[in-house]
Amino acid sequence: MSFPPPPSFPTLEYYCSRISLKVHTLAMAVMSHSSAYLLPSTPTEDGPALTYALIILNQRLPKFTPLLWNHARVRVCADGGANRLFDDMPLFFPLEDAHSVRLRYKPDVVKGDLDSIRADVQEFYSNLGTKIEDASHDQDTTDLHKCVDYIVHMPNLEQSNLRILAVGALGGRFDHEMGNINVLCRFSDVQLILLSDHCLIQLLPHTYLHEIQIQSSIEGPDCGLIPIGGPSRRTTTTGLKWNLTDAELSFGKLVSTSNSVQGDVVTVTCDSDLLWTITIKRPEEKCS
Ligand SMILES: Nc1ncnc2c1ncn2[C@@H]1O[C@H](COP(=O)(O)OP(=O)(O)OP(=O)(O)O)[C@@H](O)[C@H]1O
Ligand SMILES: Cc1ncc(C[n+]2csc(CCO)c2C)c(N)n1
């Protein structure tokens, strides 16, 4: 749908187009988002019960990984992510014996082309009963892609309110980061959140009105909206310091970076999928 810019003397046609947009927005389904999984206990009273799946990628584990592990119904390591789980998880529990920590944090599955997992790590988890899924025949999709695909096809996992959290997805190698963002786009109908210690990103499909509940004790205020797959010609937001009203976001023109959340809820509508990103507070910045 494309609308003319407001004329200096608004015509009846202009008012009709505005009303039609308003009706269109009111009729849109709402998609709610919340980073409550970063809180020690996820709130149960508002909204449906969510099912979390955790993917561990091959980068240093973020500090909140044990928390996400506890929330998750299924835990999958992407190839070399298993090395990170094996090496890094005991570091979060310095007073405990490393071996007992490793026994406690046993992944359900390791999936990928298995060119990065160390032999000792593969043997350790295999002996514990972790399923090792060798997908080395596929050299066209990344290990993250393979893990997401595995999770969304799990027959015994409730898929209707599934949130997939992938840690270690940001920072580090730029080709990997872009590959990870491409997985967001390839699975645009899946609620997949990519996380590092410092920020998270997720896709906002253009077919919904998005309501993002801000957990101000653990995230923000810095945030951004990135028109990753092409221009979003009509973007409207509320709850930001620099809001947009039917504005175009486009690479080479305007991309909303260094924006800031102002309240408890941010709303977004767009006509092309956007990436939402928000900072995650360091432990010393957190407030209750
Ligand atoms: N430096 C990094 N930055 C961002 N993501 C990463 C980085 N390193 C690994 N990953 C993520 O972890 C996954 C597993 O990494 P691993 O090193 O085992 O595989 P790889 O063989 O290097 O990558 P792939 O097989 O996916 O090309 C990758 O698919 C990617 O999603
Ligand atoms: C055009 C093109 N570029 C790169 C790769 C390489 N590649 C992409 S995903 C992947 C699997 C990694 O586990 C590999 C090797 C390709 N196949 N096609």
Side-chain angles (χ1 to χ4, degrees), residues 235-277:
T235 315
T236 299
T237 66
T238 64
L240 298 175
K241 181 168 182 185
W242 284 278
N243 281 305
L244 300 156
T245 306
D246 295 338
E248 177 168 1
L249 287 179
S250 171
F251 273 101
K253 294 182 180 168
L254 179 66
V255 170
S256 178
T257 58
S258 299
N259 212 325
S260 192
V261 296
Q262 293 238 291
D264 291 342
V265 182
V266 169
T267 68
V268 180
T269 57
C270 44
D271 62 11
S272 180
D273 299 354
L274 294 175
L275 271 189
W276 163 253
T277 181

Side-chain angles (χ1 to χ4, degrees), residues 212-228:
I212 305 167
Q213 312 295 327
I214 304 300
Q215 305 293 338
S216 54
S217 63
I218 42 106
E219 66 182 346
D222 311 307
C223 64
L225 280 169
I226 321 291
I228 192 70

Side-chain angles (χ1 to χ4, degrees), residues 58-71:
N58 192 8
Q59 285 219 87
R60 204 173 50 76
L61 298 185
K63 289 184 193 63
F64 46 76
T65 308
L67 187 65
L68 302 190
W69 185 281
N70 292 341
H71 293 321

